[in-house]
């Protein structure tokens, strides 16, 4: 475990330290596209954050190759080299897209080629554990097609959810943490060395996300861009492929008593092939909904819009930070719920806990619908968003009284006094208040 933590910390440190210089490079290179209709940020922000993440990946693999225990992963398996080859290719495509906005079909072709490169070097699905049946071997073509499909779906699921500051990096980090715990348990509890590459990939992926998030949290100073979102999607898919298609349930049968019982133990692993990933079920659901929505409207599935889950959270009244935290909550609930089920699938407390937390999540999701009306005497003690009705009412009273525009003073949340401009309305009829009117627009 200490070597994994060291690898994680080195990856995070390299990513964090390189992100600042990469940001300056992106500004000089002109990788700062204009604000688009679907964007939620208000100022041009540099991309190319994936450059720092890629070098963090390289640093993590290099350090792991020189550690006593993790060196065996490189000696006995070609999967780390396969991952590095596919990651380098998808990273180059992402860098070109961040700078030149390449066509969506070209990106799709590049994703398939990157997946094919990994397959050619041995990172592929060899068999599938089927409940009630057991271990089903796949032909070479079946394994190749399934591997490529899983990689492409995972990459685009992560890419689609990358719409708010810190959203994609945080969700993938949560998924990687759950995946690390599961694969580490498979390796050290059962002694199955085939799970070692997936454990290493998950640790490095956590380091990449943790190192980049401080620069990417709201308000973001740099975006990871497609060079980052496609990269972390590929690393996450590589881990799922490694442990799903390489760990033989027959080996688990030595500990569980039968092959069918061993297949049952791997439920949280092979389900990702069908959903396609329970550990990123939220972005996967967003991907499916986006394709259905755009196809129904007669648009291309790759046409960008503002119908993603995070956009809808903003529309119903959540702030930027709260929308991100809600998406974190649901990702953690699904990922760690599957992890808990894999440890003890017979426990009713796990099911009850997931149901209870789901109810809590629904309350948080609908919180803007239940904004309380705060009494006048208590308004100074509550956050400013609960004082909008009072401000709008005071502005209306001022207009009815015929007071000159700009003479009525309304206290700010910071204690300052600023004039109200009558007749200028903000969101939901709220009156714009001096230079701080953007505060109301965000809420």
């Amino acid at each position: 475990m200490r070597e994994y933590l060291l690898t994680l910390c080195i990856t995070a440190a390299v990513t964090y330290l390189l992100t600042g210089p990469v940001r300056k490079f992106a500004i000089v290179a002109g990788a700062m596209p204009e604000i688009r209709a679907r964007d939620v940020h208000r100022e041009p922000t540099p991309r190319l954050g994936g450059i720092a993440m890629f070098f963090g990946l390289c640093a993590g693999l290099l350090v792991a190759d020189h550690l006593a225990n993790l060196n065996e992963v490189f000696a006995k398996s070609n999967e780390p080299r396969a991952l590095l080859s596919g990651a380098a290719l998808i990273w180059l495509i992402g860098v070109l897209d961040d700078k030149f906005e390449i066509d969506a079909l070209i990106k799709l072709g590049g994703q398939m080629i990157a997946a094919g490169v990994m397959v050619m070097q041995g990172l592929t699905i060899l068999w599938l554990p089927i409940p009630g049946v057991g271990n089903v071997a796949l032909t070479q073509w079946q394994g190749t097609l399934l591997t490529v499909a899983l990689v492409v779906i995972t990459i685009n699921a992560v890419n689609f959810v990358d719409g708010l500051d810190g959203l994609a990096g945080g969700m993938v980090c949560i998924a990687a943490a759950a995946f690390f715990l599961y694969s580490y348990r498979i390796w050290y509890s059962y002694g199955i060395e085939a799970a070692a590459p997936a454990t290493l990939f998950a640790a490095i992926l956590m380091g990449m996300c943790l190192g980049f998030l401080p620069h990417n949290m709201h308000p973001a100073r740099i975006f990871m861009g497609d060079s980052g979102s496609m990269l972390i999607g590929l690393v996450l898919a590589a881990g799922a492929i490694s442990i799903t298609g390489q760990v033989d349930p027959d080996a688990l049968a030595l500990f569980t008593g039968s092959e069918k019982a061993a297949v049952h133990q791997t439920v949280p692993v092979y389900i990702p092939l069908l959903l396609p990933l329970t550990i990123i079920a939220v972005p996967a659901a967003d991907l499916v909904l986006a394709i259905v929505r755009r196809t129904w409207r007669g648009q291309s599935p790759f046409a960008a819009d503002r119908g993603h889950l995070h956009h809808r959270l903003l529309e119903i009244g959540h702030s930027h930070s709260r929308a991100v935290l809600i998406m974190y909550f649901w990702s953690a609930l699904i990922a760690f719920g599957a992890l808990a089920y894999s440890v003890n699938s017979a426990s009713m407390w796990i099911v009850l806990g997931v149901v209870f937390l789901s109810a809590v999540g629904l309350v948080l999701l609908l919180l803007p619908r239940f904004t309380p009306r705060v009494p006048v005497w208590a308004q100074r003690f509550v956050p400013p968003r609960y004082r909008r009705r009072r401000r709008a009412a005071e502005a209306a009273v001022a207009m009815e009284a015929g007071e000159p525009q700009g003479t009525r003073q309304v206290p700010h949340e910071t204690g300052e006094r600023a004039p109200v401009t009558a007749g200028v309305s903000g969101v939901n009829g709220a009156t714009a208040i001096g230079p701080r009117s953007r505060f109301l627009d965000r809420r």
Side-chain angles (χ1 to χ4, degrees):
M1 177 63 76
R2 288 179 296 180
E3 293 189 352
Y4 283 117
L5 293 178
L6 176 61
T7 303
L8 187 155
C9 292
I10 293 296
T11 304
V14 171
T15 304
Y16 177 81
L17 294 175
L18 288 180
T19 302
V22 167
R23 179 180 182 273
K24 296 180 180 179
F25 169 76
I27 295 175
V28 173
M32 296 178 61
E34 297 295 330
I35 305 298
R36 300 164 295 185
R38 69 178 187 272
D39 291 334
V40 297
H41 57 282
R42 299 181 177 181
E43 298 179 357
T45 305
R47 296 183 181 180
L48 294 177
I51 295 178
M53 303 179 81
F54 176 74
F55 283 104
L57 169 68
C58 295
L61 291 174
L62 181 63
V63 169
D65 190 22
H66 289 80
L67 295 178
N69 294 327
L70 295 184
N71 180 56
E72 297 180 2
V73 177
F74 296 82
K76 298 180 180 180
S77 173
N78 199 41
E79 293 182 10
R81 300 174 184 84
L83 170 66
L84 185 59
S85 301
L89 182 57
I90 204 69
W91 172 72
L92 288 174
I93 296 172
V95 169
L96 293 176
D97 182 65
D98 289 340
K99 172 59 180 175
F100 301 108
E101 294 283 346
I102 63 178
D103 186 74
L105 292 179
I106 297 178
K107 288 196 295 183
L108 180 62
Q111 295 167 7
M112 298 176 67
I113 293 174
V117 168
M118 293 194 300
V119 170
M120 292 177 59
Q121 298 186 61
L123 187 57
T124 184
I125 299 175
L126 302 178
W127 47 67
L128 285 179
I130 305 298
V133 177
N135 192 25
V136 177
L138 300 177
T139 64
Q140 181 178 356
W141 281 106
Q142 290 173 339
T144 299
L145 292 177
L146 188 57
T147 302
V148 171
L150 180 59
V151 171
V152 171
I153 292 174
T154 307
I155 288 175
N156 286 282
V158 175
N159 193 22
F160 272 42
V161 83
D162 184 25
L164 296 179
D165 297 348
L167 182 57
M171 293 181 66
V172 172
C173 185
I174 292 171
F179 197 75
F180 172 81
L181 293 176
Y182 184 86
S183 55
Y184 184 84
R185 176 173 173 264
I186 292 292
W187 184 10
Y188 281 94
S189 296
Y190 295 145
I192 300 177
E193 294 184 359
T199 310
L200 175 61
F201 297 165
I204 292 176
L205 182 57
M206 280 193 290
M208 295 165 61
C209 296
L210 291 175
F212 184 73
L213 276 175
H215 300 273
N216 190 233
M217 297 303 293
H218 184 70
R221 301 178 66 249
I222 185 174
F223 295 150
M224 66 173 65
D226 282 5
S227 59
S229 61
M230 293 197 301
L231 175 64
I232 60 178
L234 181 135
V235 177
L236 186 60
I241 291 169
S242 177
I243 199 169
T244 305
Q246 303 292 332
V247 175
D248 190 351
D250 292 337
L252 286 176
L254 297 177
F255 301 91
T256 57
S258 66
E259 182 178 347
K260 291 184 179 181
V263 169
H264 183 71
Q265 290 287 333
T266 60
V267 166
V269 178
Y270 69 77
I271 282 181
L273 294 174
L274 306 177
L275 288 183
L277 286 170
T278 54
I279 51 180
I280 55 167
V282 174
D286 192 21
L287 170 65
V288 174
L289 291 175
I291 293 176
V292 173
R293 180 177 64 252
R294 296 166 185 174
T295 305
W296 183 265
R297 295 175 181 175
Q299 300 175 340
S300 168
F302 303 101
D305 59 18
R306 289 182 59 89
H308 293 292
L309 296 177
H310 49 271
H311 289 138
R312 298 191 180 191
L313 289 175
L314 296 177
E315 290 175 359
I316 66 177
H318 290 289
S319 64
H320 190 292
S321 299
R322 187 192 292 172
V324 172
L325 291 176
I326 288 176
M327 297 286 280
Y328 284 178
F329 174 84
W330 284 104
S331 297
L333 178 61
I334 296 174
F336 287 97
L339 176 65
Y341 180 82
S342 69
V343 175
N344 187 2
S345 59
S347 176
M348 183 58 63
W349 289 106
I350 295 176
V351 177
L352 294 177
V354 171
V355 171
F356 173 76
L357 292 176
S358 299
V360 173
L362 289 176
V363 172
L364 296 175
L365 187 65
L366 300 176
L367 191 60
R369 306 291 185 184
F370 306 106
T371 302
R373 295 186 178 182
V374 180
V376 175
W377 60 268
Q379 296 214 3
R380 67 180 62 183
F381 305 107
V382 298
R385 61 178 174 273
Y386 298 121
R387 289 178 261 172
R388 273 193 273 177
R389 290 189 180 89
R390 181 186 178 188
R391 291 177 174 176
E394 290 179 350
V397 171
M399 293 177 62
E400 292 177 0
E403 295 183 9
Q405 295 184 6
T407 61
R408 186 174 181 85
Q409 301 293 325
V410 178
H412 271 264
E413 66 277 3
T414 59
E416 302 174 356
R417 302 179 68 86
V420 174
T421 305
V424 181
S425 297
V427 179
N428 298 327
T431 305
I433 303 177
R436 297 294 300 274
S437 62
R438 290 188 301 169
F439 179 80
L440 295 181
D441 293 342
R442 290 199 297 270
R443 290 163 172 78

